[in-house]
């Protein structure tokens, strides 16, 4: 009796999890479809936390845009955050710096992120895109910013 009961419970649990997962995906898709384009003026300093699942790069005044793709559960992402913020303050007014949680903004992440985070993506004023994966040192991130600003 016990041998039949345990596999039955496991099967029921798996079905419940898959149903929950698919309804969650559908809910995420609905939220993504309803999200409005966030119109944000360029900021003088600091990092803008993207709070919608869409982004219009034209809203950032033609400045180069740097995006830190991260997640709350990602240890390296948390460790990289202070470096990213320090460089953002250093280049205030010359570029726009965004922070994007890949779990909260899956449509934006899908457009730019490869397989790994943290990822820093730079979009130059001319539209060219450069991405670096992993925790960049302050020197590496500064070099990336300088190279994009020179385009």
């Amino acid at each position: 009796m016990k041998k039949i009961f345990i596999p039955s419970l496991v099967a029921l649990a798996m079905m419940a999890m898959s149903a929950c997962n698919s309804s969650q995906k559908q809910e995420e898709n609905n939220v993504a479809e309803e999200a409005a384009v966030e119109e944000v003026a360029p900021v003088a300093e600091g990092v803008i936390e993207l709070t919608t699942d869409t982004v219009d790069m034209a809203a950032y005044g033609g400045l180069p845009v740097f995006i830190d793709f991260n997640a709350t559960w990602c240890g390296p992402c948390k460790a990289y955050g202070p470096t990213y913020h320090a460089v953002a303050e250093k280049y205030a007014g010359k570029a726009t710096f965004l922070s994007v949680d890949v779990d909260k903004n899956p449509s934006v992440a899908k457009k730019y992120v490869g397989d790994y985070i943290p990822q820093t993506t730079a979009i130059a004023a001319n539209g060219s895109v450069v991405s670096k994966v992993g925790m960049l040192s302050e020197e590496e991130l500064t070099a990336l910013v300088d190279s994009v600003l020179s385009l």
Side-chain angles (χ1 to χ4, degrees), residues 3-143:
K3 290 181 181 177
I4 295 172
F5 184 69
I6 291 173
S8 299
L9 284 178
V10 171
L12 285 173
M14 289 176 64
M15 287 190 308
M17 284 177 21
S18 66
C20 203
N21 193 14
S22 64
S23 66
Q24 180 182 3
K25 289 288 183 197
Q26 181 61 40
E27 185 178 327
E28 288 174 3
N29 289 340
N30 291 343
V31 169
E33 290 172 6
E34 294 171 6
V37 173
E38 181 177 345
E39 297 295 330
V40 179
V43 294
E45 53 187 87
V47 175
I48 300 168
E49 300 287 332
L50 191 65
T51 58
T52 64
D53 197 28
T54 58
V55 64
D56 177 11
M57 292 302 166
Y60 298 102
L63 293 174
V65 176
F66 294 85
I67 309 169
D68 170 26
F69 289 101
N70 57 71
T72 56
W73 49 263
C74 172
C77 297
K78 289 179 183 180
Y80 177 54
T83 300
Y84 184 78
H85 283 257
V87 172
E89 288 180 24
K90 182 177 171 183
Y91 286 92
K94 296 178 183 175
T96 300
F97 289 81
L98 303 177
S99 178
V100 175
D101 183 319
V102 297
D103 293 327
K104 294 178 183 174
N105 302 288
S107 295
V108 176
K110 183 179 179 183
K111 185 172 181 178
Y112 295 104
V113 177
D115 293 330
Y116 303 102
I117 56 173
Q119 176 180 307
T120 304
T121 298
I123 304 171
N126 68 7
S128 60
V129 177
V130 178
S131 291
K132 300 278 186 177
V133 175
M135 291 176 41
L136 303 177
S137 68
E138 189 167 339
E139 294 78 22
E140 292 170 322
L141 182 54
T142 298

